[in-house]
Amino acid sequence: MEAYSLLERYRLDRRKLLEFILSSGLVREIRTPSGSSASISDVNLDFISADYVLQSIKSGGVLDVALATKKYYEESELPIMMDLHSRDFYFLLTDPQSSGSPPRRPPPPVLANYFDNGRSSTSSLRDRSACHRVSVSGVESGVNHANVANTVSEPVLMVDVPDLGLPSLRTGLLDDDLRESAYEACLACMMFSGIDISIQSRKKDKNPKFLSGLKTKKGKYLQSQSPERHVEFLDTIRMQMQISEVMDTFARRRLVQFASVKAWGQFSVPEIALGFLNGTFRSDFPSVKSYTHWKNRQADILEGYFCFANDVADKQKIGQLVAKIRNSEEWDNNMSPSERSEILLALKQYLCVLSSKPGRFGIQGETYYWTSAYHMNIRLYMKLLFGLFDILEDGQLIEEADELLKIVKLTWPLLGITQKLHSALYVWVLFKQFVGTEETMLLEYAIRVMQKSLFSEASEPREDEYICSLSCSATSGSNEYKFNLVQSIFFSIGSWCEIKLQDYHLHFSQLKRPFFVPQKSSLFKGVMNMAVKICRVDASKHFKFIESDDLGESTSRKVKGYVDRSLEAACMRVMDNIYFGSEVDRTHPLALLASELKIIAERELSMYYPVLCHWYPQAGIAASIRLHRFYGEKLRPFLQSVSCLSEDVRAVLPAANELENCLTELYCTACQENGLTLQFSEEFIHYQIGEISRPLILDWIIAQNKRVMEWTARAFDLENWEPLSHQQKQAPSAVEVFRIIEETLDQLFQLRLPMDITHLQALLSIIFHTLDAYLQKVTSELVGKQNLYPSIPPLTYYKETTFPIVKKKLVESTVLEDEVTNKLNELTTSKLCVRLNTLQYIQKQISALEDGIRKSWSFAGPFDNGEHSIEESPETSGRILDTCSESVDELFVATFDCIRDTAAHAIRSICEFIGVRVVFWDLRKSFLYRLYHGGVENSRLDSLLPSLDGALNQVCGLIDDALRDRVVSSIFRATLEGYVWVLLDGGPSRAFSDLDIPLMEDDLNMLKDLFVADGEGLPRSLVEEEAKFAHQLLSLFSLQAESVIQLLMSSSQHISVGLEVHKSGHRCLGDADTLIRVVCHKKDREASKFLKEQYKLPASSEYDEDGVEPNFKSVLVTDLIRRSASARWSDKGHSSFKSIKKKLQEATWR
């Protein structure tokens, strides 16, 4: 009924807002069927359209009541819509997509009563209090999970608190009527206590402010306070009781008049009502409607007090008199003032008879009405207590609560309230407000009030007898019980707590506001604390309050019952909806059941167990065993039929494993907190998910190996080595390979099943073989660098051409094999750059892949068969974990480091290959064959730099930024190697004089500057280091011929046996091969004479290299590279020199 009261409150707010709008002067004219009117007293504001009222104000301020009523009914037939221009959003009363199947059990009985929460407003039902209380048998709710039908369940505390069972009101008094009457009684008590409530004390405000007084005020109410503070406090009381200023002014005026004729002493509520009716006319009210309502309320108050008076002889006569007051036509139109006075006088006579009767228990200040109309007094007093709560924040007491409570206590003699009765009713009001607002602070405050006030001091026997006479009735099932008021309060609170806690998984799983888990736990803890403190005495449903927090067997047994019944109810709720949910989501019922039970177990662990263990330490153990057994009974038949990783198996086993892990955590947590060192009990037998899934997972991994390798080979075969995009410069095949691997990893780890190191080893084996095969394919298409170098030309001595018309010897060109040529044509510089970018991409992805696998493996966790005991020492567990971790690390290192090494080696190989290809293949004609050909002055380096610069720009535009310096360094080394080749292996067409050396030095510096690129290229230190040999070689060329010849003879001293073929590579400045080539390329007579006489070499003028690649094989000179050494010429060395000369002549003229 909380929702019903809330609806009534919304209607009251709507009515008040419309009254404010229509009385503010915004509406110029109100048109009714009877004609124009400026008053709203005859307008039923509940049945006019608020939208139409606002439109009328905008359009000129004329309101047609008939049209407004018509619009209201038209709008009520349409769905509620949001105020959006699109008009696309509306709300349905039911959710057609998730309404679910019909419930499988009969619905709970309809609540026939509407409980009084102290804040509800006017209702169309005139006799709410006459309805009977029924017990709450349960709430139908679906499984609280997104996968199952979203049956909307009640919020946590919205199930109504059983009312106190006070005798029902036989009149039409509503909550608003009781509140207004309570306010009038409070004003009367203040006035007769000496507090000034006269109209002159009100502080006038000519500019009314809507809701201006709803802010709480600070300060303390004292009799000696300032007049301004006194007025503010009285205004606070009025606003807390939700009384309008008009009615407050009227009530004060009438009370002042009542006090002027009333002798000081005791008075009663019906006496106040009679005093109000005497001399009040319709003209005293702003509208007929408000007057009629006020008059009927006073009549209802009189009837409520008289009807329960057992000593009244003529109740029928009293009823007739009260009926005349209610009859507006007779009372206001037909009766004269004297006739009305006679009716009021007759009622006053009955009142005097009752007021003169003594109290039953001899309590000081006791009146007859304490016991004859206690049902009215208690209701009025509770309305005053509800006024302590902020009307804007129902869960908070106002700051002036203590001062207001002092004013409320002034009504004790009038309403028959004692200290114990006040404490009990205050606890009840706090508890009711807690239920409506879910503010745990109110519940804690209620418990403190019970501890400090209700049971702190022993009450007098007469007070106990008086409280016992305040009879209340309650029903539980088919039984009806009689309690006194305090016992009824305990019964209602205890019954509500019992209902909540016997299914706490339902009632504390959803909240009216978005609480976090700690706040949920606090709310649950508060209710549990209240439940264990209010204990049932015996089977008669009597309750008592337990002040001690000590654990007892009865308390533990009580909490254990909560755990068992709540878990049983939660499991049954899940089972009721599980099959429908599995059909909707197309998921196996056992998988969905495990997921739902896991949610229950997680809530038990995080929210409920930390609270329950205070009173029942074994709550976690009992909950885990019950849930584990419940699911195990349904899972075991399925496990017996598992033979492969089917869709059902993939759905059920992970869900079952996660549920068991959660329950194991709950079980172990409870055991550790209770200091238990025992193994899992026979009631907690593991599902053996790991043993069943282990071979299935291994078979699945092995089956993936062939599939992954096939798709990797297919991706490589389709590769054309074009970059993926301008930003992503790697080849698409590498991206596809890693996508295949990651897809396999996702499929494996999405199984969410326990795995051991064998599974990890098989998985890493697949990854290793896949990436290694791809890397091998990338490097296998390269050709040897020796195929890119030009052939070594013949050695000659310099001689100028004397007769150019003489027929010269032509060189022979070497023809490469077709396979090598095809590979070189395919391995263009751009495609080599893409391959290099791809290798760099693989290196980056390897690290990300390793991190991802490690993370996923840590979540998957090592395989655990559940056979270890809880008493296993931390040292033993630590050693097992360390060993497992070391084995895993070794697997990762062995796999990924090997792949990294392979990728790094491939990157080095391709970097070197790119440099050699650019210089010795792509720029062979434009650089090698043209530089210094025919003379230094005619073919300087500056004329060849544009082609080299263009090649560099092409490479830098294609290569990844991380590899740019490595590739450019490789090209620089190859360029220097080509420059040295020109100097030493340039052939018969190249000879250098002493005057050429400075020009060649300038060319070399120009080449270095090109690669330094003003600081944006290679580091200057690296360039200088790489160019050191070339500079030394030019220095060697600058020496006199005799000096170089002497060095050559010294270097050849240790040569003993034949010479091997020279291969391209690093040269040594002082070896015979380098020195003899320097001598051959010097444009010097002494050098030519030495070569002709000692080596019998042919002259350079005998060869023609124009347009033809030289292809001479000089086996002898190549052999000299490995056998030459620096030594002095001895006799043995001289003979060796002769043998060298002979072989050299044979090789040259061959």
Side-chain angles (χ1 to χ4, degrees):
M1 290 302 102
E2 191 73 24
Y4 177 83
S5 299
L6 189 60
L7 178 61
E8 287 303 313
R9 183 171 181 179
Y10 289 158
R11 287 175 177 170
L12 175 63
D13 292 343
R14 180 181 184 274
R15 191 158 49 246
K16 288 182 178 180
L17 285 173
L18 286 174
E19 287 179 358
F20 172 76
I21 292 172
L22 295 178
S23 61
S24 61
L26 298 175
V27 178
R28 295 186 294 103
E29 181 184 359
I30 300 176
R31 295 177 181 175
T32 63
S34 59
S36 298
S37 174
S39 174
I40 63 173
S41 59
D42 297 328
V43 180
N44 192 340
L45 299 179
D46 288 337
F47 299 99
I48 66 172
S49 170
D51 292 337
Y52 176 77
V53 172
L54 297 177
Q55 292 174 3
S56 300
I57 294 174
K58 292 180 181 179
S59 61
V62 178
L63 176 64
D64 189 332
V65 176
L67 188 56
T69 304
K70 181 180 178 182
K71 288 286 186 182
Y72 171 82
Y73 285 108
E74 290 177 352
E75 293 171 357
S76 63
E77 296 176 355
L78 300 175
I80 302 173
M81 302 190 67
M82 297 175 67
D83 187 15
L84 297 176
H85 294 292
S86 61
R87 303 293 182 183
D88 293 335
F89 296 89
Y90 59 91
F91 301 95
L92 297 176
L93 295 179
T94 60
D95 185 358
Q97 299 297 328
S98 61
S99 57
S101 58
R104 293 177 172 82
R105 58 184 179 183
V110 178
L111 297 178
N113 64 317
Y114 304 98
F115 298 112
D116 173 21
N117 67 350
R119 312 301 298 178
S120 59
S121 57
T122 307
S123 169
S124 58
L125 299 176
R126 299 295 297 174
D127 194 9
R128 178 182 307 177
S129 301
C131 300
H132 298 287
R133 182 186 62 80
V134 296
S135 62
V136 180
S137 61
V139 179
E140 186 73 26
S141 175
V143 179
N144 182 21
H145 193 264
N147 292 334
V148 189
N150 282 327
T151 310
V152 179
S153 62
E154 295 268 350
V156 182
L157 306 178
M158 285 303 290
V159 177
D160 298 314
V161 183
D163 68 6
L164 297 180
L166 289 170
S168 301
L169 297 176
R170 299 178 184 178
T171 61
L173 286 172
L174 302 175
D175 291 337
D176 291 341
D177 300 332
L178 291 172
R179 185 177 61 252
E180 292 170 1
S181 296
Y183 178 70
E184 293 170 353
C186 183
L187 283 179
C189 293
M190 292 171 64
M191 183 183 63
F192 283 100
S193 299
I195 299 176
D196 184 14
I197 65 167
S198 62
I199 304 173
Q200 288 77 12
S201 67
R202 175 182 299 280
K203 190 176 182 179
K204 297 295 182 181
D205 190 354
K206 297 181 180 180
N207 298 319
K209 300 177 181 179
F210 185 64
L211 294 180
S212 62
L214 293 184
K215 298 180 181 179
T216 56
K217 307 171 183 63
K218 297 181 179 179
K220 298 297 180 180
Y221 178 79
L222 300 172
Q223 290 291 339
S224 59
Q225 64 186 345
S226 64
E228 292 79 8
R229 175 61 189 134
H230 175 67
V231 172
E232 290 180 1
F233 183 71
L234 292 178
D235 202 41
T236 299
I237 299 175
R238 176 187 64 79
M239 287 183 295
Q240 286 299 116
M241 297 302 294
Q242 302 182 36
I243 306 298
S244 66
E245 290 189 10
V246 174
M247 292 305 300
D248 178 54
T249 302
F250 170 78
R252 293 194 193 191
R253 184 186 300 114
R254 296 301 299 152
L255 281 173
V256 171
Q257 295 173 1
F258 173 71
S260 63
V261 298
K262 166 69 178 174
W264 289 84
Q266 287 188 335
F267 60 95
S268 62
V269 174
E271 191 174 355
I272 296 173
L274 287 175
F276 275 18
L277 287 171
N278 188 19
T280 301
F281 304 96
R282 183 187 300 174
S283 58
D284 295 329
F285 289 83
S287 65
V288 175
K289 182 178 180 181
S290 59
Y291 166 71
T292 303
H293 177 77
W294 175 86
K295 179 169 60 69
N296 290 338
R297 175 170 63 83
Q298 302 299 336
D300 290 338
I301 290 292
L302 291 173
E303 185 176 359
Y305 273 86
F306 284 136
C307 288
F308 279 84
N310 297 324
D311 298 331
V312 178
D314 197 354
K315 291 184 180 181
Q316 185 177 2
K317 178 63 176 177
I318 294 176
Q320 292 174 356
L321 295 175
V322 173
K324 290 180 180 180
I325 298 175
R326 287 199 183 99
N327 191 330
S328 298
E329 182 67 23
E330 184 178 1
W331 181 264
D332 297 313
N333 298 330
N334 298 336
M335 288 187 180
S336 62
S338 59
E339 292 175 334
R340 289 196 293 269
S341 298
E342 290 178 2
I343 293 176
L344 295 177
L345 182 59
L347 290 173
K348 187 174 182 180
Q349 292 174 354
Y350 287 113
L351 179 63
C352 291
V353 173
L354 296 178
S355 299
S356 62
K357 293 182 178 296
R360 291 175 53 187
F361 303 101
I363 301 175
Q364 182 179 2
E366 180 186 2
T367 65
Y368 173 78
Y369 298 105
W370 280 26
T371 53
S372 66
Y374 69 90
H375 64 295
M376 293 290 296
N377 294 334
I378 297 301
R379 286 184 170 93
L380 293 176
Y381 189 72
M382 285 194 297
K383 292 302 176 186
L384 294 174
L385 291 179
F386 275 115
L388 299 175
F389 299 97
D390 196 314
I391 59 177
L392 293 182
E393 297 182 14
D394 292 348
Q396 302 293 329
L397 292 168
I398 62 173
E399 294 185 11
E400 302 90 341
D402 293 338
E403 306 149 64
L404 182 54
L405 194 57
K406 294 178 182 179
I407 298 299
V408 170
K409 289 183 178 181
L410 296 177
T411 64
W412 284 13
L414 175 67
L415 301 178
I417 305 300
T418 63
Q419 179 61 54
K420 184 175 182 179
L421 195 56
H422 161 76
S423 299
L425 291 174
Y426 196 23
V427 168
W428 171 249
V429 169
L430 288 170
F431 186 79
K432 288 280 287 186
Q433 204 71 6
F434 156 73
V435 172
T437 62
E438 298 172 3
E439 286 289 346
T440 312
M441 177 195 68
L442 298 178
L443 185 60
E444 295 173 354
Y445 189 25
I447 295 176
R448 287 199 301 269
V449 171
M450 284 192 294
Q451 290 174 331
K452 294 180 180 180
S453 302
L454 198 56
F455 299 97
S456 59
E457 298 179 0
S459 57
E460 295 183 0
R462 288 180 296 179
E463 183 180 2
D464 291 338
E465 292 177 4
Y466 165 61
I467 292 176
C468 290
S469 69
L470 306 181
S471 177
C472 299
S473 61
T475 59
S476 177
S478 58
N479 300 322
E480 183 174 356
Y481 301 95
K482 293 293 184 180
F483 301 116
N484 63 48
L485 183 58
V486 176
Q487 290 176 343
S488 181
I489 290 174
F490 282 170
F491 174 80
S492 297
I493 295 176
S495 298
W496 185 89
C497 292
E498 289 280 337
I499 293 172
K500 300 296 127 184
L501 296 176
Q502 287 182 3
D503 197 355
Y504 57 80
H505 279 280
L506 170 66
H507 296 119
F508 292 91
S509 62
Q510 291 182 346
L511 294 170
K512 294 165 72 174
R513 293 176 294 174
F515 280 81
F516 296 104
V517 169
Q519 292 170 305
K520 287 184 180 181
S521 180
S522 175
L523 184 66
F524 176 66
K525 182 178 181 180
V527 176
M528 179 63 70
N529 191 24
M530 177 67 83
V532 297
K533 286 184 178 299
I534 297 181
C535 178
R536 184 177 298 158
V537 176
D538 49 34
S540 64
K541 301 291 182 179
H542 284 76
F543 287 82
K544 70 176 182 179
F545 182 80
I546 301 178
E547 298 184 67
S548 176
D549 291 331
D550 295 338
L551 292 176
E553 183 179 353
S554 60
T555 302
S556 298
R557 187 166 55 251
K558 181 178 183 178
V559 177
K560 181 180 184 302
Y562 293 155
V563 174
D564 293 340
R565 285 189 288 272
S566 181
L567 289 175
E568 181 180 3
C571 293
M572 291 302 102
R573 260 194 315 276
V574 170
M575 289 301 299
D576 288 344
N577 295 273
I578 207 68
Y579 290 100
F580 173 77
S582 66
E583 292 175 2
V584 172
D585 293 341
R586 297 182 179 179
T587 305
H588 196 282
L590 284 176
L592 196 56
L593 177 61
S595 300
E596 296 301 328
L597 293 179
K598 180 173 176 285
I599 294 175
I600 295 174
E602 288 174 344
R603 287 178 183 156
E604 189 74 30
L605 176 62
S606 63
M607 187 166 65
Y608 304 132
Y609 169 69
V611 176
L612 295 169
C613 65
H614 292 293
W615 296 281
Y616 178 42
Q618 291 80 26
I621 298 175
S624 60
I625 290 176
R626 174 176 282 274
L627 291 174
H628 194 272
R629 183 173 61 247
F630 176 81
Y631 185 73
E633 293 172 353
K634 297 167 178 57
L635 177 66
R636 288 189 181 90
F638 177 84
L639 294 179
Q640 295 174 358
S641 62
V642 171
S643 59
C644 63
L645 283 178
S646 62
E647 291 297 326
D648 289 344
V649 173
R650 295 186 184 192
V652 174
L653 291 189
N657 183 64
E658 291 177 359
L659 171 62
E660 187 170 47
N661 290 339
C662 184
L663 295 176
T664 302
E665 181 182 1
L666 176 59
Y667 187 95
C668 294
T669 300
C671 289
Q672 292 172 1
E673 291 184 0
N674 286 278
L676 301 178
T677 57
L678 48 97
Q679 294 183 345
F680 286 101
S681 64
E682 296 180 356
E683 297 178 328
F684 198 99
I685 302 175
H686 285 274
Y687 299 145
Q688 307 299 323
I689 301 295
E691 287 83 349
I692 296 174
S693 63
R694 184 175 184 274
L696 302 180
I697 296 175
L698 190 59
D699 293 343
W700 182 87
I701 295 176
I702 295 173
Q704 300 306 305
N705 184 38
K706 182 179 179 182
R707 181 186 69 86
V708 173
M709 294 297 292
E710 288 177 352
W711 280 96
T712 301
R714 180 179 180 274
F716 189 88
D717 294 340
L718 295 176
E719 183 59 72
N720 58 0
W721 300 107
E722 294 293 335
L724 192 61
S725 66
H726 182 70
Q727 291 79 18
Q728 298 178 330
K729 300 178 180 181
Q730 69 274 9
S733 60
V735 179
E736 179 66 14
V737 168
F738 277 97
R739 187 196 65 79
I740 295 169
I741 293 175
E742 290 173 359
E743 183 181 272
T744 304
L745 292 175
D746 290 342
Q747 292 178 4
L748 175 63
F749 289 113
Q750 283 176 1
L751 294 176
R752 306 192 319 275
L753 291 172
M755 289 179 281
D756 58 16
I757 198 169
T758 304
H759 301 122
L760 180 61
Q761 186 175 8
L763 175 64
L764 295 181
S765 176
I766 293 177
I767 295 174
F768 172 78
H769 287 97
T770 300
L771 294 178
D772 185 69
Y774 185 85
L775 292 173
Q776 295 300 331
K777 286 178 178 291
V778 170
T779 56
S780 64
E781 295 184 352
L782 299 179
V783 298
K785 290 189 296 181
Q786 67 274 9
N787 294 301
L788 299 175
Y789 291 107
S791 300
I792 299 175
L795 293 180
T796 61
Y797 65 89
Y798 172 74
K799 181 181 181 181
E800 294 184 1
T801 303
T802 308
F803 304 101
I805 60 174
V806 177
K807 184 176 181 181
K808 297 183 179 182
K809 297 178 182 179
L810 298 177
V811 297
E812 298 178 357
S813 59
T814 302
V815 180
L816 298 176
E817 297 179 0
D818 292 340
E819 182 181 356
V820 175
T821 303
N822 293 335
K823 285 186 176 182
L824 285 174
N825 292 334
E826 288 294 328
L827 293 173
T828 62
T829 302
S830 61
K831 292 188 177 181
L832 285 172
C833 289
V834 174
R835 287 175 184 257
L836 201 57
N837 294 335
T838 303
L839 294 173
Q840 177 70 13
Y841 170 79
I842 290 175
Q843 278 199 326
K844 292 179 180 178
Q845 290 299 112
I846 286 173
S847 298
L849 181 65
E850 180 180 5
D851 293 340
I853 296 176
R854 283 182 180 272
K855 185 177 181 180
S856 299
W857 179 256
S858 65
F859 284 128
F863 171 74
D864 182 10
N865 58 11
E867 294 179 355
H868 64 277
S869 64
I870 302 174
E871 59 185 359
E872 194 172 72
S873 65
E875 293 78 8
T876 304
S877 301
R879 285 195 299 269
I880 295 175
L881 292 175
D882 291 341
T883 303
C884 180
S885 178
E886 291 175 2
S887 301
V888 169
D889 290 339
E890 289 175 0
L891 278 178
F892 277 103
V893 170
T895 302
F896 288 99
D897 283 2
C898 185
I899 297 174
R900 289 189 183 94
D901 293 343
T902 304
H905 176 72
I907 289 176
R908 287 194 300 270
S909 301
I910 295 181
C911 279
E912 295 175 2
F913 189 85
I914 289 177
V916 175
R917 180 190 170 90
V918 169
V919 176
F920 288 92
W921 189 264
D922 296 340
L923 300 178
R924 174 177 292 190
K925 293 181 180 181
S926 61
F927 182 75
L928 293 182
Y929 294 167
R930 288 183 58 188
L931 181 62
Y932 303 152
H933 186 275
V936 174
E937 293 184 357
N938 299 328
S939 54
R940 293 284 301 276
L941 183 63
D942 55 354
S943 63
L944 309 180
L945 288 181
S947 59
L948 180 59
D949 186 58
L952 285 172
N953 289 334
Q954 179 191 9
V955 171
C956 291
L958 293 173
I959 205 69
D960 186 84
D961 292 340
L963 296 170
R964 191 198 66 166
D965 287 352
R966 295 185 64 178
V967 176
V968 173
S969 298
S970 174
I971 296 176
F972 179 58
R973 284 192 295 269
T975 304
L976 291 175
E977 188 178 358
Y979 186 79
V980 171
W981 184 90
V982 170
L983 299 182
L984 299 181
D985 294 323
S989 63
R990 291 177 174 90
F992 312 112
S993 66
D994 293 341
L995 299 177
D996 294 333
I997 302 305
L999 301 178
M1000 296 166 66
E1001 287 280 359
D1002 292 341
D1003 288 347
L1004 182 57
N1005 292 328
M1006 191 185 308
L1007 182 63
K1008 294 190 297 181
D1009 292 339
L1010 174 67
F1011 282 90
V1012 173
D1014 296 329
E1016 297 182 0
L1018 297 177
R1020 171 68 69 177
S1021 59
L1022 175 64
V1023 171
E1024 294 294 344
E1025 181 66 25
E1026 294 291 343
K1028 184 183 295 185
F1029 179 78
H1031 279 293
Q1032 293 173 350
L1033 188 61
L1034 289 177
S1035 300
L1036 193 61
F1037 269 101
S1038 66
L1039 297 177
Q1040 295 295 324
E1042 292 82 0
S1043 300
V1044 179
I1045 291 172
Q1046 184 62 37
L1047 292 173
L1048 173 62
M1049 295 175 66
S1050 299
S1051 176
S1052 302
Q1053 182 178 0
H1054 295 288
I1055 300 176
S1056 56
V1057 228
L1059 305 172
E1060 298 179 359
V1061 179
H1062 167 69
K1063 298 182 181 179
S1064 300
H1066 293 288
R1067 295 179 181 271
C1068 179
L1069 193 64
D1071 65 7
D1073 178 76
T1074 301
L1075 293 173
I1076 195 171
R1077 292 179 185 281
V1078 171
V1079 176
C1080 289
H1081 288 86
K1082 281 186 70 67
K1083 189 183 291 187
D1084 185 88
R1085 289 180 178 272
E1086 293 296 329
S1088 300
K1089 180 180 178 181
F1090 173 78
L1091 293 173
K1092 180 179 179 181
E1093 292 178 356
Q1094 297 295 332
Y1095 291 96
K1096 307 300 180 182
L1097 295 180
S1100 60
S1101 58
E1102 298 179 8
Y1103 292 90
D1104 183 12
E1105 289 184 299
D1106 291 341
V1108 184
E1109 177 185 349
N1111 189 33
F1112 281 85
K1113 298 180 180 179
S1114 182
V1115 178
L1116 181 65
V1117 178
T1118 307
D1119 291 341
L1120 186 61
I1121 296 176
R1122 296 186 181 181
R1123 300 182 183 274
S1124 62
S1126 298
R1128 297 178 59 187
W1129 284 98
S1130 59
D1131 294 339
K1132 182 177 179 181
H1134 185 71
S1135 62
S1136 299
F1137 177 75
K1138 291 181 178 179
S1139 64
I1140 292 173
K1141 181 175 66 174
K1142 181 178 180 181
K1143 292 182 180 180
L1144 186 143
Q1145 291 173 347
E1146 294 175 354
T1148 303
W1149 294 104
R1150 186 177 300 163

